[in-house]
Amino acid sequence: MGVIKWLLDAGPTVFLPLLLFIFGLALRIKPGKAFKSALMVGIGFTGLNLIIGLLTDNLGPAAQAMVKNFGLSLNSIDVGWPAASAISYGTTLGSLAIPIGVALNVVLLVIGLTKILDVDLWNYWHIAFSGSLVYAATNNFGLGLFTMIVHAMWIYFLADLAAPTIQKHYGLEGISFPQGASAPGFVLALPINWVLDRIPGVKKIHWTPETIQKKLGVFGDSAVMGLIIGIVIGALAQYDLTKILNLGITTSAVLILMPRMVAILMEGLSPISEAANTMVQKHFPGRNLYIGMDSALAVGQEAVLSASLILVPVSLLIAVILPGNRVLPFGDLATIPFMLAVMAAVFGGNVFRIVVGGIIDIAVSLYIASWIAPLLTTAAKSAHFAMNGASSISVLSDGGAWTTLLIVGLGKLMSWSGMAIVFVIVLGLMIWLNKFKKTAKKVEE
């Protein structure tokens, strides 16, 4: 447990390069090259975190000001993923998430039920989250552990399923996103995309950063679009002119700088990814390996970030007009890009479709987050989380994911039998995707 605590305290900017360096050596990459690759990943990840922090530090207060200006009042506050992860890892059950996730990943890789090699250890908090909620609902520690296993299997399955789409759209060869707040969006986006393809007129709307810039000229440029969106958000927050302009420059900077940080990170990751796939092809011909990374690699893409910034004030409006919603979006408003990262790949970077899909996603997430609020509040108290006067808390990202409703809902309703049903479903899907679908493809060829 001491090693796990050290990993959590060090954070991904330290343990991810360390893990990749060790992995690089295991793949027989020369020590100097493995060290440089790992270091570049660390530099890129640090840059990404700095820019995401810049966005969060500026967008958070603006969102808070909008909530105050609009006079919004709902009885459960969205505390955001940082608080949710602290609650999840703060429980005895949650502290076991990393060893359970790593061991399961290795087993599934060996028996060929996943192609994901998940090096994003920090994000095992997503399975700690669901496990802690089921434990809070049932007071059954063993069921909480089984919940984490089942949730991890769902994440690996969704990451495997979405990998080709992610790689094609973002140009991230050999990468996928086994991230609990992002991966479920793939399944949600597919039917939305199908419906939009069949609506006359709507199916022809194709707003990408490139087409927008072509039509709007300088006003369609990413930097200028970021400036305009930031100014609008600042105006809605009723900032003074100086703060409005500062927010505009900040959002503009995020749109420009984040893709460059991703490029630095990929510079380091590419040699390791290539060596891993070479080794897999040598020992397991016909199999591929995907490096599991945080979806932060995608959130800086212009279409994702532009749509997400547009959805910040829209999310507050949805929360107010949605019948039966009890959650006030707040902490996770800056996390919207993560919720949309995989959906955007399905929509091919079409900003119009990302916004439409985002509105549907947020509406669904608010309902699920409202249902999950009592369980998260109980889990927070057991983890001695400071509620700061709030009587009820929730979280929009993970708390609103359909996987949370499926896993926690059946776990709460039917206990072991409910979780067994979810386990059998995901096991069957993993076998279909990695065994039968693969065989069918070979027969067709």
Side-chain angles (χ1 to χ4, degrees):
M1 288 299 170
V3 174
I4 295 172
K5 186 179 184 304
W6 180 84
L7 288 173
L8 293 176
D9 291 342
T13 54
V14 173
F15 74 68
L16 182 57
L18 179 61
L19 182 66
L20 288 174
F21 175 64
I22 296 171
F23 184 48
L25 293 178
L27 293 173
R28 298 185 179 179
I29 298 175
K30 292 181 179 179
K33 186 176 181 180
F35 177 78
K36 177 68 181 297
S37 294
L39 180 61
M40 292 303 290
V41 170
I43 291 170
F45 216 90
T46 299
L48 274 176
N49 285 340
L50 286 172
I51 295 167
I52 291 171
L54 179 68
L55 178 65
T56 304
D57 292 344
N58 285 272
L59 196 58
Q64 188 175 16
M66 280 191 280
V67 169
K68 183 178 179 181
N69 294 336
F70 297 160
L72 303 182
S73 180
L74 293 163
N75 62 8
S76 189
I77 184 72
D78 161 33
V79 293
W81 77 264
S85 63
I87 293 168
S88 303
Y89 278 141
T91 64
T92 303
L93 184 75
S95 66
L96 298 173
I98 291 179
I100 286 175
V102 170
L104 179 65
N105 191 200
V106 171
V107 170
L108 292 174
L109 275 170
V110 170
I111 63 178
L113 288 185
T114 187
K115 302 180 186 72
I116 302 295
L117 175 63
D118 193 359
V119 299
D120 185 23
L121 301 188
W122 167 259
N123 271 319
Y124 280 121
W125 78 262
H126 296 282
I127 66 171
F129 178 80
S130 57
S132 297
L133 291 182
V134 169
Y135 180 51
T138 64
N139 200 33
N140 188 321
F141 192 84
L143 183 58
L145 290 175
F146 187 43
T147 299
M148 292 197 291
I149 292 172
V150 172
H151 192 183
M153 290 174 69
W154 271 102
I155 291 174
Y156 295 142
F157 165 71
L158 292 171
D160 274 327
L161 190 66
T165 304
I166 290 169
Q167 292 170 21
K168 180 180 178 181
H169 178 66
Y170 291 112
L172 300 172
E173 189 65 32
I175 303 296
S176 193
F177 302 143
Q179 207 256 23
S182 301
F186 182 77
V187 172
L188 184 62
L190 291 175
I192 296 173
N193 204 44
W194 185 89
V195 170
L196 293 176
D197 275 339
R198 282 153 182 80
I199 300 176
V202 172
K203 65 181 181 181
K204 295 182 179 180
I205 300 175
H206 191 68
W207 299 347
T208 64
E210 293 76 21
T211 58
I212 291 172
Q213 185 169 357
K214 186 176 180 180
K215 290 180 180 179
L216 299 181
V218 67
F219 293 102
D221 181 80
S222 299
V224 179
M225 284 289 290
L227 176 67
I228 293 171
I229 294 171
I231 287 174
V232 171
I233 292 174
L236 290 173
Q238 296 182 13
Y239 280 172
D240 59 36
L241 181 60
T242 301
K243 292 184 73 174
I244 288 174
L245 293 175
N246 275 330
L247 183 58
I249 294 296
T250 298
T251 54
S252 179
V254 169
L255 275 169
I256 296 300
L257 294 176
M258 198 175 287
R260 300 186 184 185
M261 293 303 104
V262 172
I264 293 173
L265 191 150
M266 287 305 299
E267 181 184 336
L269 195 59
S270 292
I272 295 175
S273 177
E274 290 169 6
N277 271 301
T278 299
M279 182 201 71
V280 169
Q281 290 297 325
K282 180 180 178 181
H283 297 285
F284 305 98
R287 285 183 60 180
N288 292 318
L289 185 71
Y290 305 141
I291 304 295
M293 293 290 292
D294 195 315
S295 52
L297 291 180
V299 300
Q301 206 251 5
E302 296 169 15
V304 176
L305 203 50
S306 298
S308 300
L309 291 170
I310 292 169
L311 285 168
V312 169
V314 173
S315 298
L316 295 173
L317 176 62
I318 294 171
V320 174
I321 65 175
L322 204 62
N325 171 55
R326 299 195 302 273
V327 175
L328 176 63
F330 177 63
D332 264 339
L333 286 173
T335 309
I336 291 175
F338 290 85
M339 296 169 65
L340 301 182
V342 177
M343 294 181 73
V346 176
F347 297 136
N350 187 330
V351 177
F352 172 77
R353 294 196 177 196
I354 299 171
V355 171
V356 172
I359 290 172
I360 296 171
D361 186 23
I362 288 164
V364 171
S365 296
L366 284 170
Y367 277 129
I368 300 174
S370 295
W371 174 78
I372 217 77
L375 296 178
L376 183 58
T377 302
T378 300
K381 290 176 180 177
S382 68
H384 307 292
F385 179 75
M387 300 282 285
N388 295 324
S391 60
S392 176
I393 62 172
S394 191
V395 59
L396 186 62
S397 54
D398 269 65
W402 64 263
T403 46
T404 299
L405 179 63
L406 174 68
I407 296 167
V408 178
L410 281 179
K412 180 184 178 184
L413 183 66
M414 300 173 64
S415 189
W416 281 99
S417 57
M419 200 59 61
I421 291 172
V422 185
F423 170 76
V424 170
I425 291 171
V426 70
L427 180 62
L429 288 170
M430 295 180 92
I431 293 172
W432 163 76
L433 182 63
N434 292 283
K435 301 295 184 180
F436 290 103
K437 188 178 180 183
K438 181 179 173 182
T439 303
K441 186 176 179 181
K442 283 184 178 178
V443 171
E444 289 174 5
E445 291 173 348

